[in-house]
Amino acid sequence: MNSKASPPEGKSSARDAAYWRVNLIVIGVLLFVWFVVSYCCSIFFVEQLNEYKIGQIPLGFWFGHQGSIIIYVVLILIYAVGMDLLDRKFGLQSGSES
Amino acid sequence: MENFSAWLATEGWTWLFVVASFGVYLYIGLRSRVDETKDFYIAGQGIPAIANGAATAADWMSAASFLSMAGLISFLGADGSKYLLGWTGGYVLLALLLAPYLRKYGKFTVPDFVGDRYYSNSARSLAAVCAIFVSLTYVIGQMKGVGIVFARYLHIADWQGVVVGMVIVAVFAVVGGMKGITWTQVVQYGILILAYVVPAIFIANIITGNPVPQIALTTSDAVSRLDAIHKDLGFAAYSQSFSYKDNTAPLAPLSGHNMFNMFAITFALMVGTAGLPHVIVRFYTTPNVRAARYSAFWAILFIALLYTTAPAVAVFARLNLIDSLHNKPIAEAKKLDWFTRWETAGQIKFVDKPTPKPDGKTLPPDGIITIAPGDVFINGPKTAPNLNSRNELYVDKDMMVLANPEIAKLSPIVIGLVVAGGLAAALSTAAALLLVISSSIAHDLYVNLIDPKAPEKKRIAIGRIVILFAIIVAGYFGINPPGYVAEVVAFAFGLAAASFFPVILLGIFDKRMNREGAITGMLVGSLVTAGYIVLEKFIKVDMQGMLGGYYVSSEGIGTIGCFLNIFAALIVSRLTPPPPKEVQDFVEYVRRPSTD
């Protein structure tokens, strides 16, 4: 695994392609959640969700005014940490220059 | 006399906060002197993730976020979600789709990337012109905000306030470039968030007994109380979405959007946010790709702190306003210090209307304030009263955040802090915009097209001269704002959504995308968007009448422009030759986070 010392051209491009595929899956999953909370929960089905309550306010209203924003913060944190692990796994860390 | 000493206390504290904060900005600016273009444009790529996150937050949250947003939400109720989500959700797109790759690319500007990726100086110049246009329209609003705050609180003329603001920005931007701007933005974030959250904590505690605004909003009965009051007064419930349906929204023209338009507007604002050059360029300044990702996290966290407080402030402000004024005799209202102050400033206005009786006759005006659905005036506060509505109190939505601490009778110290916060929000955004204008003109247009062999010293000198010139232009428009500023902001977001965002996205994620596709896409996207906005907002064509159920508001047309751009680019790129081998390697390089 730890063969970081400049692999031959063919190998490194296979590694890059694999890294990119996983990267696209991570982005896809996180953006799916982003779409669901921003649009499904806060706009398309807001009236249905308002039938339920979180704390003392309607659930759809909560998504539109609080919930989605909190979820954005969590999504970006998951992305940053997840990509960190992925970089390490593929030996593509960007650290060290600072 | 008691009033006078209270006024003096407010003014004294305000001056203290403003002078102290300006002193700090100047000190940082002078300390961050730079001599190289890399430092001047991207702060030598040496900004740690958390500092860059704070700077991004200050950079993004403008005078409008700080001063106007909570007031706007307070009138829109549930439908205000389009602004709350539209101005935060874009960070998810930015963090996942653009920031890490643009940092890896590692040059100075957004037009740089467009020019290199699409091997075309025309694409680069087109991007530079768009960046200048978008940033210039934006910066005018900031300068105007500085003038308003100064005039309202420090009793000096608007223009004097703008000039003071210009001098401060000039010092830290011209001397310190991006480095000076970044470190002042970090301090400005601290001041603006403190100024926003502290009064919110006091007010939350007064109204709900819980000092954390976010928790108070969710777990207290404030929203249900407001819903009940709204129904009593004939409004739709505050927490009800699409309140335009029964025409009882407090701010009818702005909330009259159906589900499709809510989607289009929210999406356009998100994509527009992710495509604004002054926001994107902040991610060029981190030490590496990893730091760019984490700084996006810090940025959204710092922004969310304000954006989750704002809806709570909005609810409390609406409760406070109705509580202190509805059904009160005007003579009593005039005894309130803040009422007379904002009335003098034209931000609040009472019109006594005759009261209808069940038998069809009317009672004469009674001198008691009634808050009800409908517009107080036929067309704004300078026109005749609208007798079809019983609403008698006009309140400018821009005064809510500034007036809220006074309405809640908070200490003068807090009010002084709020003023310093509003100025910090405006100045930090203005500085970032001015730097984009400077880099587009000096770096992308002048050095790149006219004088590519210019030595380092000359490049940085030109950067400084252009930024100074941009400050003077922005200041001039801040003092004499063109009447169409609000319309032009729709333009800025629409263009960012329909040109920058898709072109960068495709440049990273579609290796086959070529020059022909990108230029066609940019032209199609921006022409459709700009054309539609010009037709609706400037030529005043009745789009709603023409399109009926298919109507898209000008604020949301960027969504259509964005999709058309992507669509056109994909088709044209597949019909024309693929990009050269070096460019495909360049895409590979940008996708790889490591430096090799």
Side-chain angles (χ1 to χ4, degrees):
Chain A
M1 267 320 271
N2 264 345
S3 59
K4 238 200 90 188
S6 57
E9 175 66 24
K11 233 186 193 167
S12 99
S13 71
R15 174 199 63 177
D16 288 359
Y19 172 82
W20 187 246
R21 264 196 306 280
V22 185
N23 178 29
L24 289 182
I25 294 170
V26 172
I27 295 174
V29 171
L30 294 174
L31 282 187
F32 176 76
V33 178
W34 166 83
F35 188 88
V36 169
V37 296
S38 310
Y39 300 106
C40 299
C41 298
S42 308
I43 299 175
F44 302 141
F45 302 106
V46 67
E47 286 165 317
Q48 285 84 341
L49 287 180
N50 277 343
E51 306 282 322
Y52 305 93
K53 283 202 159 178
I54 179 167
Q56 291 214 46
I57 61 176
L59 185 58
F61 174 71
W62 179 78
F63 268 109
H65 278 218
Q66 298 274 293
S68 299
I69 303 175
I70 296 168
I71 292 166
Y72 299 153
V73 178
V74 176
L75 287 177
I76 299 181
L77 180 63
I78 293 175
Y79 173 74
V81 174
M83 291 308 287
D84 237 10
L85 297 175
L86 204 62
D87 289 357
R88 224 166 290 158
K89 191 176 162 210
F90 282 83
L92 286 165
Q93 293 99 320
S94 61
S96 72
E97 303 142 71
S98 53
Chain B
M1 264 298 99
E2 206 176 295
N3 272 351
F4 178 75
S5 67
W7 170 82
L8 195 67
T10 311
E11 185 127 326
W13 280 110
T14 308
W15 274 113
L16 181 73
F17 277 116
V18 170
V19 171
S21 60
F22 279 25
V24 173
Y25 306 155
L26 284 178
Y27 174 76
I28 296 174
L30 292 171
R31 282 286 308 263
S32 325
R33 223 194 115 73
V34 292
D35 299 308
E36 281 178 47
T37 43
K38 194 176 171 195
D39 288 332
F40 191 74
Y41 289 127
I42 52 174
Q45 298 182 321
I47 307 295
I50 184 166
N52 197 53
T56 310
D59 180 303
W60 170 236
M61 293 190 287
S62 59
S65 286
F66 190 95
L67 298 173
S68 315
M69 194 181 60
L72 190 60
I73 307 294
S74 166
F75 285 95
L76 289 173
D79 289 339
S81 69
K82 57 177 177 271
Y83 297 118
L84 290 167
L85 303 191
W87 286 329
T88 51
Y91 278 84
V92 179
L93 299 175
L94 199 52
L96 272 53
L97 301 175
L98 310 184
Y101 313 105
L102 289 174
R103 169 58 193 86
K104 176 66 191 294
Y105 166 65
K107 274 202 202 160
F108 295 168
T109 66
V110 174
D112 266 341
F113 177 83
V114 174
D116 285 351
R117 170 61 181 87
Y118 296 113
Y119 42 101
S120 155
N121 263 336
S122 357
R124 181 179 181 160
S125 311
L126 186 62
V129 171
C130 280
I132 295 167
F133 178 80
V134 167
S135 304
L136 195 60
T137 56
Y138 229 86
V139 78
I140 295 169
Q142 307 307 317
M143 285 302 185
K144 200 176 147 218
V146 173
I148 290 175
V149 174
F150 266 106
R152 202 72 72 242
Y153 277 92
L154 296 172
H155 301 272
I156 63 177
D158 277 32
W159 71 267
Q160 290 166 324
V162 173
V163 170
V164 174
M166 279 163 63
V167 171
I168 301 287
V169 174
V171 171
F172 67 73
V174 173
V175 176
M178 190 58 154
K179 200 169 152 208
I181 289 173
T182 304
W183 292 111
T184 25
Q185 280 176 336
V186 173
V187 176
Q188 283 161 336
Y189 175 74
I191 294 174
L192 85 85
I193 199 67
L194 211 60
Y196 205 83
V197 172
V198 167
I201 288 174
F202 281 116
I203 295 171
N205 201 26
I206 293 171
I207 293 189
T208 68
N210 187 327
V212 183
Q214 289 84 350
I215 299 177
L217 177 76
T218 314
T219 60
S220 79
D221 63 346
V223 172
S224 46
R225 242 158 69 205
L226 184 55
D227 278 352
I229 295 175
H230 258 212
K231 280 189 184 146
D232 274 354
L233 299 180
F235 292 109
Y238 184 85
S239 64
Q240 182 195 324
S241 293
F242 310 116
S243 49
Y244 73 95
K245 280 185 193 158
D246 27 13
N247 214 14
T248 48
L251 215 60
L254 270 175
S255 43
H257 294 307
N258 60 13
M259 199 175 276
F260 173 69
N261 272 290
M262 283 286 282
F263 164 76
I265 294 171
T266 310
F267 192 86
L269 292 179
M270 286 189 188
V271 175
T273 304
L276 285 173
H278 73 284
V279 177
I280 294 178
V281 83
R282 281 248 50 105
F283 293 95
Y284 283 51
T285 64
T286 59
N288 53 45
V289 174
R290 181 172 181 268
R293 296 189 199 121
Y294 277 102
S295 88
F297 162 69
W298 289 113
I300 185 70
L301 180 72
F302 291 141
I303 292 168
L305 222 49
L306 188 143
Y307 270 72
T308 52
T309 305
V313 171
V315 167
F316 304 149
R318 183 102 184 125
L319 273 173
N320 259 340
L321 183 78
I322 296 176
D323 221 40
S324 19
L325 295 180
H326 178 64
N327 250 341
K328 297 273 157 44
I330 180 67
E332 201 179 297
K334 287 212 190 262
K335 282 187 203 145
L336 296 167
D337 218 23
W338 60 266
F339 186 91
T340 42
R341 169 131 49 118
W342 292 99
E343 197 184 26
T344 321
Q347 304 268 316
I348 196 165
K349 214 166 168 184
F350 169 68
V351 200
D352 213 354
K353 292 180 184 172
T355 315
K357 280 200 304 180
D359 60 6
K361 293 180 188 156
T362 53
L363 289 167
D366 51 9
I368 292 175
I369 302 170
T370 306
I371 297 176
D375 292 326
V376 183
F377 300 97
I378 290 172
N379 189 17
K382 289 196 175 117
T383 58
N386 168 19
L387 292 177
N388 292 323
S389 160
R390 291 196 50 213
N391 197 2
E392 297 179 328
L393 187 74
Y394 167 83
V395 181
D396 189 308
K397 59 189 177 355
D398 286 352
M399 68 162 262
M400 294 303 285
V401 166
L402 288 174
N404 207 18
E406 299 172 83
I407 300 178
K409 306 190 184 77
L410 296 187
S411 136
I413 302 181
V414 175
I415 296 164
L417 184 64
V418 171
V419 174
L423 291 171
L427 291 177
S428 56
T429 307
L433 292 162
L434 291 165
L435 193 82
V436 168
I437 297 172
S438 158
S439 65
S440 300
I441 296 176
H443 176 75
D444 292 312
L445 295 178
Y446 179 78
V447 172
N448 186 52
L449 292 180
I450 299 169
D451 192 2
K453 294 214 173 73
E456 193 67 9
K457 263 212 160 71
K458 190 171 176 194
R459 291 181 184 213
I460 199 164
I462 292 169
R464 286 199 163 111
I465 293 166
V466 173
I467 212 168
L468 197 60
F469 181 71
I471 289 170
I472 294 168
V473 173
Y476 172 81
F477 282 116
I479 296 166
N480 310 296
Y484 45 81
V485 168
E487 282 80 1
V488 177
V489 171
F491 239 125
F493 271 92
L495 278 186
S499 63
F500 286 124
F501 181 80
V503 103
I504 302 172
L505 180 80
L506 292 169
I508 297 161
F509 286 85
D510 181 20
K511 214 198 279 184
R512 176 69 174 73
M513 184 50 57
N514 60 9
R515 176 178 57 197
E516 292 78 3
I519 294 179
T520 317
M522 276 215 279
L523 285 176
V524 169
S526 46
L527 287 180
V528 167
T529 306
Y532 191 91
I533 297 176
V534 167
L535 282 181
E536 181 171 38
K537 294 273 183 183
F538 296 90
I539 307 181
K540 310 268 180 208
V541 177
D542 178 16
M543 288 294 182
Q544 192 145 22
M546 258 170 59
L547 297 169
Y550 298 101
Y551 169 73
V552 189
S553 100
S554 278
E555 287 172 289
I557 191 69
T559 298
I560 311 289
C562 175
F563 284 114
L564 284 178
N565 178 332
I566 293 176
F567 203 58
L570 286 175
I571 292 176
V572 171
S573 68
R574 273 18 178 213
L575 299 175
T576 44
K581 173 84 170 67
E582 322 70 278
V583 170
Q584 301 196 22
D585 290 345
F586 168 79
V587 176
E588 292 285 338
Y589 169 81
V590 165
R591 288 176 176 186
R592 214 169 31 231
S594 58
T595 33
D596 56 343

